[in-house]
Amino acid sequence: MAAAQKHVLRVYVARDTALKLTLLQRPKSVEELKEIMQERFKPRLNGDFSLHYEDPDFDGDLCLLVDIQELPEKGTLRVVRPEGDTSSTASSDTDILPHVPALQRQKSWPDHFVVPGFGYEMEHILEEGNRVYEESGKLLKLKRSQKSEILKKMAETIYSFKPYPHEKELAMAAQALITAHPCLRMTAGEDGELGWKRHIGYKVASYRNNLAKAGVAEVAINTGRRSRNNPDNDHPHQNIKKARKAEVNYIINLPKDQTPATLETMREEIICEVEKTERNQLVIGKLMNTTYALRRQEIVGALVAPRVREVVDRWPALLMESQVFAEFHRINNVNLRNQFYKELDRHTPKLITLFRDKATKTGKIAEELAKLMRIYDLQEQRDVNMRRALVLRALPVYLREDAFKFFRTCNSADGPDLTDTPVALLTVVTGDTTDAALFSPESICIVVEDEILVSGPTNLADSFLLLFAYVYALDLQYPKNLELTFTFIQKVVMCLEDNKPLKGRLLTLKNDLFNE
């Protein structure tokens, strides 16, 4: 008679919480396994959930456990809960994504600007004006009050997407206006939107000024600059604090039912909860969500930007991976992990083809790419993590950027010299350093402001993703030598578009990716 099959499993009941489960024999069904887990892991595992396992047939990617025969003898299971289920601290397979309050901006600038409605009377006037224009080509002559009504509504709509729109975005709004209402062209030529663009720009600036006087944080932060009464202050058009990486909620007002004192109390509660051996992820997430405005005003709104170490000492939950991803979601309303891997994996085959093609040419860039490709080709198992690592290491080379100070390497026996290292990924390797360590390091650390901030995941893509989240959460600048690489991740992979023109090399790469 065959011996009973023993199973040793690591079960992630939350992203930062893994528990060991030992079974002396295989359960009869998946439902029986779930009942065993609920009994063993009380009260962590209440409510409805499904189980996913890392399938070796698909390079360790997660698959839903449907057949109990697929249960590995030794492996990892992840608990996944349905959306909206709050009976657990968090889903292990997805990040803790905060609810976005209604007063916060919900989305970034749209691909196609939709002209708002202007009220019954104004809409009737425009409808008649469009009819006359179609019949005779006669333009509509507006009264000052009517023009003001249109401009105010346009300014409100533009501000709902972005407080400081670029010229391109103002032109897009003006073009949409005269396309929807051709009778509003200020000239009979093709450039009829230019006049509206100028007027809309003035109105947006006036609207911004009114909101600043009313105390709206994201624009009030830039008041009190040089004037006749304050000649020594900053120039009105210098060092403007605004979203520069397509952030949707760069800085917001405190919740109406909270004060700085109550939010400070919540901050202290977060510290107490983080220091516990068994953290309550749900409590931490709710408190971090409520205190988001205070945190952003400290990070972004300070006259002198605080040191990163000071920020994480005051907000230690930012050292938790789940909360860094949640902070990114609060800022951009985007699930960083899902979006990053979906788009990176979609572009990986074409990127690798471009890298291989470039590696066959001559020159320093071709040699560096050829070296990376040789190391990659020599790996026995080239799984999805290996492919992602290859793309992230080869991308700056292809874009002719110097990644030496960003991708740092040190021997585990030696202490790294992190002088003059504003942002970097530090790969720790064993004593016998080989080229293969590029794809299979001992550990990877995230370095910010000349010191190790946290130890990241052991695969490059996950560590890069965590660092990218920190760039937004801590309002850091992109590494100077890797601006094109990070801009590619922002605009092409994360689809966080700021409508600034792409530089030549980046534009060429984008065109190569999207042109079949």
Side-chain angles (χ1 to χ4, degrees):
M1 183 175 180
Q5 197 172 21
K6 184 178 179 181
H7 297 266
V8 181
L9 304 168
R10 179 174 57 178
V11 182
Y12 277 92
V13 296
R15 176 160 298 282
D16 298 314
T17 306
L19 303 175
K20 184 176 180 179
L21 176 65
T22 301
L23 302 173
L24 298 180
Q25 60 184 10
R26 185 191 300 273
K28 296 179 181 178
S29 66
V30 175
E31 289 303 316
E32 183 179 335
L33 173 61
K34 291 165 68 175
E35 291 174 2
I36 294 172
M37 292 170 60
Q38 286 178 320
E39 181 64 27
R40 298 271 187 94
F41 299 152
K42 281 183 179 180
R44 296 176 179 270
L45 210 53
N46 296 324
D48 186 27
F49 63 91
S50 60
L51 292 174
H52 292 232
Y53 69 102
E54 296 178 352
D55 194 333
D57 293 335
F58 297 97
D59 299 326
D61 285 354
L62 293 176
C63 290
L64 178 64
L65 182 62
V66 178
D67 184 355
I68 195 63
Q69 297 301 319
E70 296 289 347
L71 182 68
E73 292 183 33
K74 186 176 182 180
T76 299
L77 296 181
R78 296 179 182 271
V79 172
V80 178
R81 295 182 177 276
E83 288 188 26
D85 189 343
T86 59
S87 59
S88 176
T89 56
S91 165
S92 62
D93 189 39
T94 56
D95 301 317
I96 302 174
L97 300 182
H99 168 69
V100 181
L103 291 178
Q104 290 183 222
R105 191 167 284 108
Q106 303 293 311
K107 53 186 176 180
S108 58
W109 191 270
D111 293 333
H112 303 284
F113 187 89
V114 178
V115 177
F118 299 110
Y120 180 78
E121 181 182 359
M122 194 68 246
E123 286 291 340
H124 176 73
I125 292 171
L126 292 173
E127 185 179 340
E128 285 297 305
N130 290 334
R131 183 182 61 80
V132 172
Y133 178 81
E134 290 177 2
E135 292 176 353
S136 63
K138 183 179 180 181
L139 300 175
L140 177 63
K141 188 174 182 180
L142 294 170
K143 297 179 182 179
R144 177 178 293 183
S145 60
Q146 294 171 337
K147 184 177 180 181
S148 178
E149 179 183 345
I150 291 174
L151 289 173
K152 182 181 179 181
K153 193 66 178 179
M154 289 290 290
E156 290 175 350
T157 303
I158 289 171
Y159 186 88
S160 71
F161 298 117
K162 202 170 190 178
Y164 295 94
H166 296 296
E167 291 289 312
K168 178 181 176 181
E169 292 160 340
L170 293 174
M172 184 188 300
Q175 181 61 54
L177 178 64
I178 64 170
T179 299
H181 304 292
C183 65
L184 292 179
R185 288 180 179 274
M186 291 188 173
T187 65
E190 291 297 322
D191 295 331
E193 78 275 6
L194 293 180
W196 279 107
K197 172 189 168 185
R198 184 172 62 252
H199 289 299
I200 290 171
Y202 291 148
K203 192 65 177 181
V204 170
S206 175
Y207 185 68
R208 230 177 11 237
N209 188 47
N210 291 336
L211 291 178
K213 291 178 181 178
V216 176
E218 64 180 348
V219 287
I221 193 175
N222 292 312
T223 58
R225 292 174 175 267
R226 187 185 304 173
S227 64
R228 186 177 301 173
N229 297 326
N230 300 289
D232 297 328
N233 289 5
D234 288 342
H235 190 279
H237 301 298
Q238 289 181 348
N239 301 320
I240 297 294
K241 294 186 176 182
K242 62 180 181 179
R244 301 186 187 279
K245 300 185 291 291
E247 297 95 335
V248 177
N249 292 301
Y250 186 58
I251 184 170
I252 65 171
N253 282 66
L254 302 183
K256 291 189 178 297
D257 58 345
Q258 301 293 340
T259 66
T262 60
L263 294 176
E264 179 65 18
T265 300
M266 292 183 185
R267 185 190 68 81
E268 293 172 354
E269 291 177 18
I270 292 172
I271 294 176
C272 292
E273 193 62 42
V274 170
E275 290 176 346
K276 293 180 180 178
T277 304
E278 295 187 3
R279 300 166 177 171
N280 189 320
Q281 301 282 346
L282 186 60
V283 169
I284 293 173
K286 286 182 177 179
L287 290 173
M288 287 290 285
N289 194 33
T290 305
T291 56
Y292 171 70
L294 176 64
R295 192 161 51 257
R296 291 303 286 180
Q297 290 187 13
E298 289 181 1
I299 295 172
V300 177
L303 292 176
V304 178
R307 298 281 298 177
V308 167
R309 179 51 59 185
E310 295 173 6
V311 174
V312 296
D313 284 346
R314 280 183 55 79
W315 303 94
L318 288 178
L319 295 176
M320 299 165 53
E321 181 179 313
S322 59
Q323 282 307 312
V324 179
F325 288 128
E327 193 80 345
F328 185 92
H329 189 274
R330 296 180 188 106
I331 295 169
N332 296 302
N333 293 341
V334 173
N335 185 314
L336 174 58
R337 188 184 298 275
N338 290 354
Q339 176 68 20
F340 179 82
Y341 285 130
K342 180 186 72 173
E343 291 300 308
L344 183 66
D345 292 345
R346 182 167 76 93
H347 294 305
T348 289
K350 186 63 178 289
L351 284 169
I352 292 179
T353 299
L354 292 172
F355 298 156
R356 288 192 184 277
D357 183 60
K358 182 68 175 179
T360 62
K361 306 294 193 297
T362 58
K364 184 178 178 181
I365 302 301
E367 290 176 2
E368 291 186 41
L369 286 172
K371 179 181 178 181
L372 285 172
M373 299 309 301
R374 282 196 302 272
I375 297 171
Y376 171 75
D377 291 337
L378 288 173
Q379 304 306 304
E380 294 181 1
Q381 292 185 341
R382 295 190 289 272
D383 59 13
V384 63
N385 290 322
M386 198 83 70
R387 291 191 294 273
R388 292 167 177 170
L390 172 66
V391 168
L392 292 173
R393 291 303 298 262
L395 181 60
V397 177
Y398 187 84
L399 292 172
R400 288 179 281 169
E401 292 189 302
D402 183 6
F404 175 76
K405 289 188 176 181
F406 180 75
F407 291 116
R408 303 285 298 274
T409 304
C410 79
N411 191 293
S412 56
D414 302 325
D417 179 11
L418 299 178
T419 306
D420 192 27
T421 309
V423 177
L425 288 178
L426 177 66
T427 300
V428 181
V429 296
T430 56
D432 183 18
T433 304
T434 63
D435 289 340
L438 294 173
F439 298 107
S440 54
E442 183 179 320
S443 64
I444 301 176
C445 299
I446 292 172
V447 178
V448 178
E449 293 183 351
D450 303 342
E451 65 175 294
I452 294 174
L453 185 63
V454 293
S455 292
T458 54
N459 75 71
L460 181 66
D462 283 350
S463 289
F464 184 94
L465 184 63
L466 185 58
L467 174 59
F468 192 77
Y470 271 119
V471 167
Y472 278 81
L474 300 174
D475 196 35
L476 305 175
Q477 294 182 349
Y478 290 153
K480 289 184 179 180
N481 293 335
L482 289 183
E483 286 189 9
L484 293 181
T485 299
F486 275 77
T487 301
F488 177 88
I489 299 299
Q490 174 198 316
K491 293 191 173 189
V492 179
V493 177
M494 292 305 303
C495 300
L496 294 174
E497 181 58 67
D498 56 11
N499 287 314
K500 295 177 184 176
L502 292 175
K503 293 185 179 180
R505 279 171 279 171
L506 201 51
L507 182 61
T508 300
L509 174 57
K510 183 179 179 181
N511 290 338
D512 289 341
L513 278 180
F514 289 96
N515 292 337
E516 295 297 335

